[in-house]
Amino acid sequence: GSGKEKNEPAETPGYVETRKSGDESIAMISPTPVITPEPTPKTSPVPDFTIAPTKKPTSKPKSKAAAPVDGSIIWGYADDKLLWSKTLAQWMTHLGVDIAAKAGTEVRTVLPGKVKDVREDDMLGVMVIVEHSEKRSTVYANLAENPPVEKGDKLDAGDIVGLIGDTAISECGDDAHLHFEFLVENNNVDPNEYVMFIKD
């Protein structure tokens, strides 16, 4: 050998390969398209008005009963406010309605039921209490003496329980009328919720 050391750098190519690795098509691949779903229409079958608070099961009946007498209400129901009694000259609650009717007018039960009691109340005079289904009962007061029913009698809706009188001491200053109460589970309720009265 010539003794020449092979220490020169290896011959490098005259140009550096600058071609992109692979094909140009690599750059063309777009990211996975994100499919934006259209806003889904509300398919909820529940209409808006059902969101209203649920009423108690003992609330208004499907249809109202006929009034015990034909006449307009002269004194309304008031359990949470006081009404002025001209007879007693004092403010008081009124747990029923007073329906104007001439003395002697027939008073009829609003629903079928059984007579729970016939008695004379110190304030409301002669009264008949009738028990109905669904823990309901009705009170007919300010009746004439000696009503034609007695405790235990079974009645149909529209049966006569008595005649309009003037036996109610607490209301004798008012015009002739029926004092009528409606109770559900022994609690007084507004009779207008259950019985159809004549509106002035």
Side-chain angles (χ1 to χ4, degrees):
S2 63
K4 236 184 190 183
E5 300 260 344
K6 294 240 176 194
N7 55 2
E8 297 111 5
E11 201 175 277
T12 52
Y15 67 97
V16 177
E17 180 95 41
T18 55
R19 224 186 67 177
K20 296 188 176 83
S21 60
D23 298 324
E24 288 288 330
S25 64
I26 290 175
M28 312 252 317
I29 294 174
S30 59
T32 313
V34 179
I35 300 162
T36 51
E38 291 178 20
T40 51
K42 286 180 185 171
T43 53
S44 166
V46 182
D48 289 341
F49 60 80
T50 57
I51 300 166
T54 52
K55 294 234 166 68
K56 288 183 289 191
T58 54
S59 63
K60 297 176 189 176
K62 289 171 191 161
S63 60
K64 293 185 179 183
V69 290
D70 290 332
S72 56
I73 293 175
I74 53 174
W75 221 33
Y77 176 81
D79 67 339
D80 56 352
K81 62 181 184 287
L82 297 173
L83 298 177
W84 178 253
S85 166
K86 64 185 180 187
T87 308
L88 300 177
Q90 69 182 34
W91 293 95
M92 58 189 291
T93 56
H94 193 237
L95 297 178
V97 292
D98 291 348
I99 310 158
K102 290 179 181 172
T105 303
E106 293 174 342
V107 177
R108 300 174 184 275
T109 180
V110 297
L111 295 166
K114 190 169 83 170
V115 177
K116 180 182 180 183
D117 201 6
V118 177
R119 59 190 160 99
E120 188 153 356
D121 182 83
D122 289 343
M123 300 296 279
L124 296 173
V126 174
M127 61 163 58
V128 173
I129 303 165
V130 181
E131 272 187 321
H132 312 287
S133 61
E134 298 179 38
K135 297 184 179 177
R136 298 174 181 180
S137 56
T138 47
V139 176
Y140 309 81
N142 196 31
L143 300 175
E145 300 277 355
N146 303 314
V149 294
E150 55 188 42
K151 187 174 179 177
D153 285 358
K154 286 191 176 175
L155 302 172
D156 287 325
D159 283 356
I160 297 169
V161 293
L163 305 176
I164 298 287
D166 59 355
T167 54
I169 298 167
S170 64
E171 302 178 354
C172 60
D174 299 322
D175 297 332
H177 66 275
L178 170 71
H179 175 86
F180 174 73
E181 297 180 16
F182 200 108
L183 293 88
V184 178
E185 295 180 354
N186 293 320
N187 293 313
N188 282 84
V189 296
D190 186 349
N192 283 285
E193 299 284 327
Y194 296 86
V195 179
M196 185 67 73
F197 296 103
I198 295 172
K199 301 291 181 193
D200 287 334

